[in-house]
Amino acid sequence: MADRSAVKDALRAQRIETPSWGYGNSGTRFKVFAQPGVPRDPFEKLADAAQVHAATGVAPKVSLHIPWDRVEDYGALAAHARELGLEIGAINANVFQDDDYTLGSVTHPDPRVRRKALDHLLECVDIMDATGSRDLKLWFSDGTNYPGQDDISGRQQRLSDALSEVYGRLGDDQRILLEYKLFEPAFYTMDVPDWGTAYAHCLRLGPKAAVVVDTGHHAPGTNIEFIVAFLLREGKLGGFDFNSRFYADDDLMVGAADPFQLFRILHEVNGNGGFAPEAGVAFMLDQCHNIEAKIPAIIRSVMNVQEATAKALLVDRSALAAAQNAGDVLGANEVLMDAYATDVRPLLAEVRAETGRDPNPVAAYRAGGWAEKIVAERVGGAQAGWGA
Ligand code: PSV
Ligand code: MN
Ligand code: MN
Protein backbone atom coordinates (compact mmCIF):
# COMPACT_ATOMS: atom_id res chain seq x y z
CA MET A 1 0.00 0.00 0.00
CA ALA A 2 1.28 3.53 -0.72
CA ASP A 3 2.49 5.52 2.30
CA ARG A 4 -0.39 7.91 3.02
CA SER A 5 1.75 10.56 4.70
CA ALA A 6 4.22 10.52 1.79
CA VAL A 7 1.30 10.98 -0.58
CA LYS A 8 0.09 13.95 1.44
CA ASP A 9 3.59 15.46 1.43
CA ALA A 10 3.73 15.13 -2.35
CA LEU A 11 0.30 16.70 -2.76
CA ARG A 12 1.33 19.63 -0.57
CA ALA A 13 4.49 20.08 -2.64
CA GLN A 14 2.74 19.88 -6.02
CA ARG A 15 2.88 22.98 -8.22
CA ILE A 16 0.42 23.66 -11.06
CA GLU A 17 1.00 26.67 -13.32
CA THR A 18 -2.02 28.64 -14.50
CA PRO A 19 -2.28 30.52 -17.83
CA SER A 20 -2.69 34.31 -17.76
CA TRP A 21 -4.91 33.97 -20.83
CA GLY A 22 -7.24 31.65 -18.96
CA TYR A 23 -8.47 34.58 -16.86
CA GLY A 24 -9.44 36.81 -19.78
CA ASN A 25 -12.14 36.60 -22.38
CA SER A 26 -11.60 33.88 -24.94
CA GLY A 27 -13.64 32.00 -27.45
CA THR A 28 -13.65 30.14 -30.70
CA ARG A 29 -13.45 31.40 -34.28
CA PHE A 30 -17.23 31.74 -34.06
CA LYS A 31 -17.50 34.08 -31.09
CA VAL A 32 -15.77 35.42 -28.03
CA PHE A 33 -18.38 35.61 -25.26
CA ALA A 34 -17.29 38.48 -23.02
CA GLN A 35 -17.69 38.03 -19.28
CA PRO A 36 -18.06 40.90 -16.79
CA GLY A 37 -15.20 41.45 -14.39
CA VAL A 38 -12.44 39.91 -16.49
CA PRO A 39 -8.98 41.45 -16.08
CA ARG A 40 -8.16 44.62 -18.02
CA ASP A 41 -4.40 44.07 -17.94
CA PRO A 42 -1.78 41.50 -16.88
CA PHE A 43 -1.64 42.96 -13.37
CA GLU A 44 -5.32 42.14 -12.87
CA LYS A 45 -4.78 38.69 -14.37
CA LEU A 46 -2.23 38.11 -11.62
CA ALA A 47 -4.76 39.30 -9.03
CA ASP A 48 -7.18 36.64 -10.24
CA ALA A 49 -4.41 34.01 -10.30
CA ALA A 50 -3.70 34.90 -6.68
CA GLN A 51 -7.27 33.88 -5.87
CA VAL A 52 -6.62 30.44 -7.37
CA HIS A 53 -3.42 30.04 -5.36
CA ALA A 54 -5.09 31.25 -2.17
CA ALA A 55 -7.89 28.70 -2.59
CA THR A 56 -5.75 25.76 -3.66
CA GLY A 57 -2.28 26.41 -2.24
CA VAL A 58 -0.56 24.77 -5.23
CA ALA A 59 -0.77 27.38 -8.00
CA PRO A 60 1.82 30.09 -7.33
CA LYS A 61 3.12 30.29 -10.91
CA VAL A 62 1.46 32.10 -13.83
CA SER A 63 2.46 31.64 -17.49
CA LEU A 64 2.53 34.76 -19.64
CA HIS A 65 1.73 35.04 -23.33
CA ILE A 66 3.43 37.80 -25.32
CA PRO A 67 2.07 40.18 -26.71
CA TRP A 68 -1.19 39.45 -24.90
CA ASP A 69 0.65 40.29 -21.64
CA ARG A 70 2.90 43.03 -22.98
CA VAL A 71 3.78 45.65 -20.35
CA GLU A 72 6.26 48.52 -20.18
CA ASP A 73 8.25 46.97 -17.36
CA TYR A 74 8.37 43.18 -16.98
CA GLY A 75 10.48 43.52 -13.88
CA ALA A 76 7.66 45.51 -12.30
CA LEU A 77 5.15 42.87 -13.35
CA ALA A 78 7.31 40.16 -11.78
CA ALA A 79 7.62 42.26 -8.62
CA HIS A 80 3.85 42.65 -8.55
CA ALA A 81 3.53 38.87 -8.82
CA ARG A 82 5.86 38.43 -5.86
CA GLU A 83 3.81 40.91 -3.82
CA LEU A 84 0.81 38.67 -4.49
CA GLY A 85 2.72 35.56 -3.43
CA LEU A 86 3.10 34.47 -7.03
CA GLU A 87 5.87 34.20 -9.59
CA ILE A 88 5.97 34.46 -13.36
CA GLY A 89 6.24 31.07 -15.03
CA ALA A 90 6.77 30.21 -18.66
CA ILE A 91 6.88 32.90 -21.33
CA ASN A 92 4.80 31.91 -24.35
CA ALA A 93 5.83 33.39 -27.68
CA ASN A 94 3.14 34.25 -30.18
CA VAL A 95 3.99 34.14 -33.84
CA PHE A 96 0.47 33.20 -34.91
CA GLN A 97 -1.55 36.44 -34.80
CA ASP A 98 0.10 38.78 -37.31
CA ASP A 99 -0.83 39.14 -40.98
CA ASP A 100 2.84 38.69 -41.88
CA TYR A 101 2.55 35.11 -40.66
CA THR A 102 -0.06 33.98 -43.17
CA LEU A 103 2.36 31.47 -44.71
CA GLY A 104 4.21 30.75 -41.49
CA SER A 105 6.58 32.50 -39.13
CA VAL A 106 10.02 30.96 -38.64
CA THR A 107 9.35 28.62 -41.58
CA HIS A 108 7.90 31.29 -43.90
CA PRO A 109 9.35 31.31 -47.44
CA ASP A 110 10.25 35.00 -47.08
CA PRO A 111 13.45 35.60 -45.04
CA ARG A 112 12.12 39.01 -43.93
CA VAL A 113 9.18 37.34 -42.19
CA ARG A 114 11.41 34.65 -40.70
CA ARG A 115 13.63 37.39 -39.23
CA LYS A 116 10.62 39.20 -37.77
CA ALA A 117 9.42 36.01 -36.08
CA LEU A 118 12.90 35.19 -34.81
CA ASP A 119 13.24 38.69 -33.36
CA HIS A 120 10.02 38.10 -31.38
CA LEU A 121 11.37 34.84 -29.99
CA LEU A 122 14.57 36.60 -28.95
CA GLU A 123 12.51 39.40 -27.38
CA CYS A 124 10.76 36.72 -25.30
CA VAL A 125 14.14 35.58 -23.96
CA ASP A 126 14.85 39.19 -22.98
CA ILE A 127 11.54 39.14 -21.11
CA MET A 128 12.57 35.90 -19.38
CA ASP A 129 15.70 37.68 -18.18
CA ALA A 130 13.46 40.38 -16.67
CA THR A 131 10.90 38.05 -15.09
CA GLY A 132 13.34 35.34 -13.99
CA SER A 133 11.44 32.74 -16.00
CA ARG A 134 13.08 29.42 -16.73
CA ASP A 135 11.00 28.39 -19.72
CA LEU A 136 10.38 29.79 -23.20
CA LYS A 137 7.36 27.96 -24.53
CA LEU A 138 7.30 27.80 -28.34
CA TRP A 139 4.25 26.72 -30.28
CA PHE A 140 4.23 27.33 -34.00
CA SER A 141 1.01 27.50 -35.98
CA ASP A 142 3.28 27.18 -39.01
CA GLY A 143 2.27 24.72 -41.69
CA THR A 144 0.66 24.41 -45.09
CA ASN A 145 -2.89 23.88 -46.31
CA TYR A 146 -2.30 22.26 -49.67
CA PRO A 147 0.03 19.67 -51.18
CA GLY A 148 2.78 21.43 -53.13
CA GLN A 149 2.33 24.71 -51.28
CA ASP A 150 5.83 24.66 -49.84
CA ASP A 151 8.86 22.44 -49.36
CA ILE A 152 8.10 20.23 -46.35
CA SER A 153 11.72 19.45 -45.50
CA GLY A 154 12.86 22.96 -46.45
CA ARG A 155 10.52 24.23 -43.74
CA GLN A 156 12.15 21.85 -41.27
CA GLN A 157 15.54 23.41 -42.08
CA ARG A 158 14.14 26.92 -41.53
CA LEU A 159 12.65 25.78 -38.22
CA SER A 160 15.93 24.21 -37.15
CA ASP A 161 17.87 27.35 -38.04
CA ALA A 162 15.54 29.55 -35.98
CA LEU A 163 15.50 27.20 -33.01
CA SER A 164 19.29 27.01 -33.02
CA GLU A 165 19.60 30.79 -32.92
CA VAL A 166 17.15 31.07 -30.01
CA TYR A 167 18.85 28.19 -28.22
CA GLY A 168 22.17 30.02 -28.52
CA ARG A 169 20.59 33.03 -26.78
CA LEU A 170 19.39 31.08 -23.71
CA GLY A 171 21.00 31.62 -20.35
CA ASP A 172 22.41 28.69 -18.39
CA ASP A 173 19.18 28.22 -16.42
CA GLN A 174 16.77 28.80 -19.28
CA ARG A 175 15.07 26.26 -21.54
CA ILE A 176 13.16 26.03 -24.76
CA LEU A 177 9.95 24.03 -24.37
CA LEU A 178 8.81 23.04 -27.85
CA GLU A 179 5.10 22.27 -28.20
CA TYR A 180 3.61 20.20 -31.01
CA LYS A 181 0.07 20.12 -32.44
CA LEU A 182 -1.34 17.69 -34.97
CA PHE A 183 -3.41 20.23 -36.96
CA GLU A 184 -5.00 23.68 -36.82
CA PRO A 185 -4.63 26.35 -38.00
CA ALA A 186 -2.79 24.55 -40.82
CA PHE A 187 -4.66 21.63 -42.25
CA TYR A 188 -2.26 19.75 -44.56
CA THR A 189 1.05 19.90 -42.68
CA MET A 190 2.02 21.44 -39.36
CA ASP A 191 5.74 22.07 -39.10
CA VAL A 192 5.72 20.68 -35.54
CA PRO A 193 2.83 18.17 -35.76
CA ASP A 194 3.76 15.47 -33.29
CA TRP A 195 5.96 14.45 -30.41
CA GLY A 196 8.51 12.81 -32.71
CA THR A 197 9.19 16.01 -34.60
CA ALA A 198 9.45 18.04 -31.41
CA TYR A 199 11.67 15.40 -29.82
CA ALA A 200 14.01 15.28 -32.82
CA HIS A 201 14.46 19.05 -32.85
CA CYS A 202 15.01 19.14 -29.07
CA LEU A 203 17.56 16.33 -29.34
CA ARG A 204 19.43 18.27 -32.02
CA LEU A 205 19.33 21.49 -29.98
CA GLY A 206 20.77 20.06 -26.74
CA PRO A 207 20.06 19.66 -23.03
CA LYS A 208 18.19 22.97 -22.64
CA ALA A 209 15.38 21.95 -24.98
CA ALA A 210 12.48 19.69 -24.13
CA VAL A 211 9.00 18.80 -25.37
CA VAL A 212 5.64 20.14 -24.16
CA VAL A 213 2.74 17.71 -24.30
CA ASP A 214 -0.51 19.60 -24.76
CA THR A 215 -3.18 17.02 -24.02
CA GLY A 216 -5.48 18.46 -26.71
CA HIS A 217 -2.94 18.20 -29.54
CA HIS A 218 -3.21 14.57 -30.63
CA ALA A 219 -5.33 12.50 -32.97
CA PRO A 220 -8.33 10.93 -31.21
CA GLY A 221 -7.34 7.73 -29.44
CA THR A 222 -3.64 8.58 -29.18
CA ASN A 223 -2.01 6.89 -26.20
CA ILE A 224 -0.64 10.05 -24.56
CA GLU A 225 0.74 8.24 -21.54
CA PHE A 226 3.04 6.25 -23.83
CA ILE A 227 4.49 9.53 -25.16
CA VAL A 228 4.89 10.80 -21.60
CA ALA A 229 6.69 7.65 -20.43
CA PHE A 230 9.02 7.69 -23.45
CA LEU A 231 9.92 11.38 -23.16
CA LEU A 232 10.48 11.13 -19.41
CA ARG A 233 12.78 8.15 -19.91
CA GLU A 234 14.75 10.26 -22.44
CA GLY A 235 14.82 13.28 -20.11
CA LYS A 236 12.95 15.28 -22.73
CA LEU A 237 9.56 15.94 -21.12
CA GLY A 238 9.62 19.68 -20.42
CA GLY A 239 6.03 19.94 -19.33
CA PHE A 240 2.34 19.74 -20.01
CA ASP A 241 -0.30 22.05 -21.35
CA PHE A 242 -3.20 20.42 -19.55
CA ASN A 243 -6.74 20.69 -20.87
CA SER A 244 -9.34 18.23 -22.03
CA ARG A 245 -11.13 17.58 -25.27
CA PHE A 246 -13.99 15.62 -26.72
CA TYR A 247 -13.05 16.13 -30.37
CA ALA A 248 -10.10 18.41 -31.13
CA ASP A 249 -8.10 21.07 -29.35
CA ASP A 250 -11.18 22.02 -27.34
CA ASP A 251 -9.25 23.55 -24.45
CA LEU A 252 -11.85 22.45 -21.87
CA MET A 253 -11.07 22.02 -18.18
CA VAL A 254 -8.44 19.31 -17.69
CA GLY A 255 -9.96 16.08 -16.40
CA ALA A 256 -13.46 17.12 -17.40
CA ALA A 257 -13.66 14.91 -20.48
CA ASP A 258 -11.53 11.93 -19.50
CA PRO A 259 -10.31 11.77 -15.88
CA PHE A 260 -9.10 8.20 -16.43
CA GLN A 261 -6.72 9.34 -19.17
CA LEU A 262 -5.41 12.10 -16.88
CA PHE A 263 -4.82 9.49 -14.17
CA ARG A 264 -2.97 7.21 -16.61
CA ILE A 265 -0.77 10.11 -17.72
CA LEU A 266 0.08 11.04 -14.13
CA HIS A 267 0.67 7.39 -13.26
CA GLU A 268 3.40 7.36 -15.93
CA VAL A 269 4.73 10.67 -14.58
CA ASN A 270 4.95 9.10 -11.15
CA GLY A 271 6.45 5.86 -12.44
CA ASN A 272 9.19 7.68 -14.32
CA GLY A 273 10.24 10.18 -11.65
CA GLY A 274 8.37 13.05 -13.26
CA PHE A 275 7.08 14.53 -10.02
CA ALA A 276 10.61 15.04 -8.68
CA PRO A 277 11.62 18.74 -8.88
CA GLU A 278 14.89 17.75 -10.57
CA ALA A 279 12.88 16.21 -13.42
CA GLY A 280 11.99 19.77 -14.39
CA VAL A 281 8.48 18.93 -15.59
CA ALA A 282 6.24 22.03 -15.72
CA PHE A 283 2.61 21.14 -14.96
CA MET A 284 0.84 23.95 -16.83
CA LEU A 285 -2.78 24.53 -17.74
CA ASP A 286 -3.68 25.79 -21.22
CA GLN A 287 -7.45 26.19 -21.29
CA CYS A 288 -9.98 28.73 -22.49
CA HIS A 289 -13.13 28.63 -20.31
CA ASN A 290 -15.23 30.13 -23.09
CA ILE A 291 -18.63 29.82 -21.42
CA GLU A 292 -17.87 29.08 -17.77
CA ALA A 293 -16.74 31.53 -15.08
CA LYS A 294 -12.96 31.75 -15.41
CA ILE A 295 -11.56 31.67 -11.88
CA PRO A 296 -13.68 28.80 -10.51
CA ALA A 297 -13.01 26.85 -13.71
CA ILE A 298 -9.27 27.19 -13.14
CA ILE A 299 -9.69 26.20 -9.48
CA ARG A 300 -11.67 23.14 -10.60
CA SER A 301 -8.94 22.30 -13.13
CA VAL A 302 -6.27 22.51 -10.45
CA MET A 303 -8.40 20.25 -8.24
CA ASN A 304 -8.81 17.77 -11.10
CA VAL A 305 -5.05 17.56 -11.53
CA GLN A 306 -4.65 17.14 -7.76
CA GLU A 307 -7.20 14.32 -7.67
CA ALA A 308 -5.61 12.47 -10.58
CA THR A 309 -2.20 12.97 -8.96
CA ALA A 310 -3.43 11.63 -5.63
CA LYS A 311 -4.82 8.52 -7.32
CA ALA A 312 -1.55 8.00 -9.22
CA LEU A 313 0.45 8.34 -6.01
CA LEU A 314 -1.79 5.77 -4.29
CA VAL A 315 -0.89 3.04 -6.78
CA ASP A 316 0.74 0.22 -4.82
CA ARG A 317 3.94 0.19 -6.81
CA SER A 318 5.47 -2.89 -5.24
CA ALA A 319 2.31 -4.92 -5.77
CA LEU A 320 2.15 -3.60 -9.34
CA ALA A 321 5.77 -4.55 -10.07
CA ALA A 322 5.27 -8.01 -8.57
CA ALA A 323 2.19 -8.63 -10.68
CA GLN A 324 3.87 -7.28 -13.82
CA ASN A 325 6.99 -9.40 -13.30
CA ALA A 326 4.82 -12.44 -12.73
CA GLY A 327 2.90 -11.75 -15.91
CA ASP A 328 -0.26 -11.47 -13.84
CA VAL A 329 -2.27 -9.40 -16.31
CA LEU A 330 -5.46 -9.12 -14.33
CA GLY A 331 -3.63 -8.68 -11.04
CA ALA A 332 -1.55 -5.80 -12.39
CA ASN A 333 -4.57 -4.13 -13.94
CA GLU A 334 -6.46 -4.55 -10.67
CA VAL A 335 -3.70 -2.79 -8.72
CA LEU A 336 -3.94 0.19 -11.04
CA MET A 337 -7.74 0.27 -11.10
CA ASP A 338 -7.87 -0.06 -7.33
CA ALA A 339 -5.99 3.23 -7.01
CA TYR A 340 -8.08 4.87 -9.70
CA ALA A 341 -11.28 3.80 -7.96
CA THR A 342 -10.21 5.42 -4.69
CA ASP A 343 -12.19 8.51 -3.72
CA VAL A 344 -9.29 10.85 -2.90
CA ARG A 345 -11.43 13.87 -2.08
CA PRO A 346 -11.28 13.21 1.71
CA LEU A 347 -7.48 12.91 1.48
CA LEU A 348 -7.19 16.20 -0.39
CA ALA A 349 -9.65 17.86 2.00
CA GLU A 350 -7.36 16.75 4.84
CA VAL A 351 -4.30 18.22 3.12
CA ARG A 352 -6.09 21.52 2.55
CA ALA A 353 -7.40 21.70 6.11
CA GLU A 354 -3.90 20.95 7.47
CA THR A 355 -2.57 23.89 5.44
CA GLY A 356 -5.25 26.17 6.81
CA ARG A 357 -7.42 26.16 3.71
CA ASP A 358 -11.08 25.38 3.15
CA PRO A 359 -11.38 21.71 2.13
CA ASN A 360 -13.53 22.91 -0.79
CA PRO A 361 -11.56 25.51 -2.79
CA VAL A 362 -14.38 26.38 -5.18
CA ALA A 363 -16.80 26.98 -2.29
CA ALA A 364 -14.15 29.04 -0.51
CA TYR A 365 -13.63 31.18 -3.60
CA ARG A 366 -17.38 31.69 -4.08
CA ALA A 367 -17.81 32.69 -0.43
CA GLY A 368 -14.94 35.19 -0.65
CA GLY A 369 -16.86 37.71 -2.76
CA TRP A 370 -14.04 38.22 -5.30
CA ALA A 371 -16.32 37.62 -8.27
CA GLU A 372 -18.73 40.33 -7.17
CA LYS A 373 -15.85 42.69 -6.39
CA ILE A 374 -14.23 42.47 -9.82
CA VAL A 375 -17.53 42.81 -11.66
CA ALA A 376 -18.17 46.03 -9.76
CA GLU A 377 -14.62 47.35 -10.23
CA ARG A 378 -13.61 46.20 -13.69
CA VAL A 379 -15.74 47.72 -16.37
CA GLY A 380 -14.68 46.90 -19.93
CA GLY A 381 -12.45 43.89 -19.40
CA ALA A 382 -9.71 43.26 -21.90
CA GLN A 383 -9.96 40.65 -24.58
CA ALA A 384 -7.41 37.94 -23.85
CA GLY A 385 -5.41 36.56 -26.70
CA TRP A 386 -8.17 35.88 -29.13
CA GLY A 387 -9.34 39.39 -29.44
CA ALA A 388 -5.97 41.09 -29.12
C1 PSV B 1 -2.18 26.22 -29.44
O1 PSV B 1 -3.39 25.53 -29.64
C2 PSV B 1 -1.90 26.33 -27.96
O2 PSV B 1 -2.08 25.10 -27.32
C3 PSV B 1 -0.50 26.89 -27.72
O3 PSV B 1 -0.02 26.43 -26.46
C4 PSV B 1 -0.78 28.37 -27.64
O4 PSV B 1 0.22 29.08 -26.96
C5 PSV B 1 -2.07 28.35 -26.87
O5 PSV B 1 -2.81 27.26 -27.38
C6 PSV B 1 -2.88 29.62 -27.01
O6 PSV B 1 -4.08 29.48 -26.29
MN1 MN C 1 -0.91 24.55 -25.57
MN1 MN D 1 -3.87 24.12 -27.98
Side-chain angles (χ1 to χ4, degrees):
M1 197 58 197
D3 173 353
R4 200 168 185 280
S5 62
V7 171
K8 287 170 69 174
D9 290 345
L11 291 170
R12 251 190 306 279
Q14 184 164 34
R15 292 293 175 265
I16 296 157
E17 187 166 325
T18 70
S20 68
W21 58 98
Y23 297 97
N25 286 324
S26 68
T28 66
R29 59 181 169 167
F30 302 105
K31 172 82 175 101
V32 172
F33 292 108
Q35 294 189 22
V38 295
R40 295 163 295 187
D41 58 46
F43 293 85
E44 292 184 343
K45 291 179 188 176
L46 291 174
D48 288 0
Q51 291 294 313
V52 173
H53 183 44
T56 63
V58 296
K61 262 190 179 182
V62 183
S63 311
L64 298 185
H65 219 296
I66 308 300
W68 300 345
D69 293 315
R70 191 177 295 289
V71 293
E72 274 303 303
D73 181 343
Y74 290 98
L77 186 63
H80 184 70
R82 287 192 293 274
E83 285 159 19
L84 294 171
L86 304 173
E87 62 180 286
I88 302 298
I91 301 297
N92 286 263
N94 178 335
V95 283
F96 53 88
Q97 283 185 314
D98 182 306
D99 288 343
D100 271 342
Y101 299 140
T102 305
L103 300 179
S105 63
V106 293
T107 64
H108 195 288
D110 180 345
R112 179 194 66 78
V113 175
R114 297 203 295 270
R115 182 73 246 172
K116 174 177 176 177
L118 181 53
D119 287 344
H120 171 68
L121 304 187
L122 296 171
E123 178 203 5
C124 287
V125 185
D126 296 340
I127 292 170
M128 291 162 69
D129 290 344
T131 59
S133 298
R134 174 187 66 180
D135 295 334
L136 171 65
K137 185 133 146 286
L138 299 181
W139 173 70
F140 297 101
S141 60
D142 294 39
T144 62
N145 279 0
Y146 295 99
Q149 176 185 332
D150 200 349
D151 175 353
I152 292 176
S153 56
R155 291 176 74 96
Q156 289 301 305
Q157 187 57 51
R158 299 168 208 163
L159 173 63
S160 181
D161 293 344
L163 290 174
S164 300
E165 185 152 347
V166 179
Y167 189 86
R169 166 69 180 78
L170 294 176
D172 293 343
D173 301 325
Q174 295 173 330
R175 305 188 302 179
I176 282 175
L177 299 187
L178 182 58
E179 182 180 358
Y180 59 88
K181 180 171 179 177
L182 178 68
F183 84 108
E184 188 193 39
F187 297 107
Y188 173 57
T189 61
M190 292 286 281
D191 292 319
V192 189
D194 55 30
W195 72 272
T197 310
Y199 174 64
H201 280 287
C202 289
L203 214 51
R204 180 196 299 266
L205 287 170
K208 297 188 293 187
V211 178
V212 168
V213 175
D214 182 306
T215 49
H217 286 188
H218 307 81
T222 299
N223 185 323
I224 298 176
E225 61 268 32
F226 174 89
I227 299 168
V228 168
F230 183 93
L231 290 174
L232 272 170
R233 184 172 177 278
E234 298 295 330
K236 282 295 184 188
L237 179 67
F240 291 95
D241 266 2
F242 280 127
N243 47 63
S244 68
R245 44 81 67 84
F246 288 98
Y247 297 97
D249 187 21
D250 308 339
D251 278 344
L252 300 173
M253 295 185 293
V254 57
D258 187 346
F260 183 42
Q261 179 192 57
L262 181 59
F263 160 75
R264 299 194 317 266
I265 288 169
L266 292 171
H267 167 65
E268 292 305 330
V269 169
N270 189 38
N272 290 279
F275 283 124
E278 55 273 20
V281 177
F283 296 88
M284 303 174 278
L285 304 182
D286 175 14
Q287 303 174 170
C288 281
H289 320 113
N290 296 336
I291 59 173
E292 65 271 31
K294 315 277 177 180
I295 297 171
I298 296 176
I299 293 173
R300 169 55 61 195
S301 298
V302 169
M303 292 168 68
N304 288 351
V305 174
Q306 288 183 299
E307 287 177 21
T309 300
K311 290 172 184 251
L313 294 173
L314 284 174
V315 171
D316 183 338
R317 311 236 23 125
S318 53
L320 182 66
Q324 288 173 340
N325 295 334
D328 178 0
V329 174
L330 294 180
N333 177 254
E334 186 184 359
V335 170
L336 202 70
M337 296 313 291
D338 184 42
Y340 178 64
T342 306
D343 183 354
V344 293
R345 291 172 296 179
L347 176 66
L348 281 160
E350 218 175 282
V351 169
R352 292 175 186 129
E354 288 165 0
T355 54
R357 283 180 177 78
D358 188 310
N360 181 336
V362 173
Y365 167 74
R366 288 209 164 107
W370 183 261
E372 294 76 14
K373 178 176 180 293
I374 57 179
V375 168
E377 285 176 3
R378 298 175 187 170
V379 178
Q383 294 280 16
W386 306 109

